[in-house]
Amino acid sequence: MRRPIPPADTAARIAGPLATLLVALGFGWLATGLIGDFLLPRPAPVVDIERDPLRVAGQLAALDFSAPRQTAASAPANLLLAGIAASADPRLARALIRRDGQPDILVLAVGEEISAGTRVDRIERDAVVLTGPAGHSRLTLPQPAGTAPAAPDHD
């Protein structure tokens, strides 16, 4: 006498094909990622990055931070432009400004206030334009000793 074979459990029937499908999907995802990295071009960087840190360090070491150089009489005399992180997108640009007598450097974006009524209006490649009660003023980066200041841009 033969015993009847019991019907297979539903979970056991679909477990094998489901595992095979998951493994196939995983390999497909991995292959797509690898092929995409090789075939698709990488986007260009948004900002031109200086690749020679020794040259940049030499330029920073040559700067004279003891005397702020300002091109407008209305610029606050106690502010020194220590550095600029320029960007084509004004939301990403930052100005590094130090007040005389204070060791801290302020990192400011466009629209932020430096002192009562004085705000950063625009951040350029080599200068920062401030807006205050006396109108627009311009802070420029200190020039290394022995170099002539750059000619101002006429917009």
Side-chain angles (χ1 to χ4, degrees):
M1 183 162 141
R2 292 185 93 177
R3 279 181 135 175
I5 299 175
D9 186 30
T10 305
R13 274 190 298 138
I14 64 169
L18 184 61
T20 303
L21 177 65
L22 289 176
V23 168
L25 287 174
F27 279 123
W29 175 75
L30 181 63
T32 304
L34 290 174
I35 291 170
D37 282 345
F38 288 118
L39 297 179
L40 298 176
R42 295 204 183 267
V46 177
V47 179
D48 185 24
I49 299 170
E50 178 59 51
R51 302 279 185 210
D52 186 6
L54 293 178
R55 186 174 74 83
V56 173
Q59 289 174 342
L60 288 174
L63 294 177
D64 179 20
F65 288 108
S66 62
R69 188 173 93 75
Q70 300 170 347
T71 58
S74 63
N78 67 335
L79 298 179
L80 169 70
L81 182 59
I84 294 175
S87 174
D89 185 356
R91 296 173 297 169
L92 301 177
R94 298 291 183 264
L96 306 167
I97 298 178
R98 184 173 56 102
R99 290 189 180 110
D100 280 345
Q102 294 183 359
D104 297 336
I105 292 181
L106 303 171
V107 180
L108 301 166
V110 173
E112 291 185 356
E113 192 170 75
I114 297 173
S115 57
T118 304
R119 293 185 174 277
V120 176
D121 183 54
R122 191 170 65 239
I123 298 175
E124 299 171 353
R125 186 178 180 108
D126 61 347
V128 173
V129 177
L130 305 175
T131 302
H136 291 292
S137 60
R138 186 177 174 92
L139 286 176
T140 58
L141 289 169
Q143 298 296 318
T147 61
D153 293 337
H154 296 287
D155 294 337

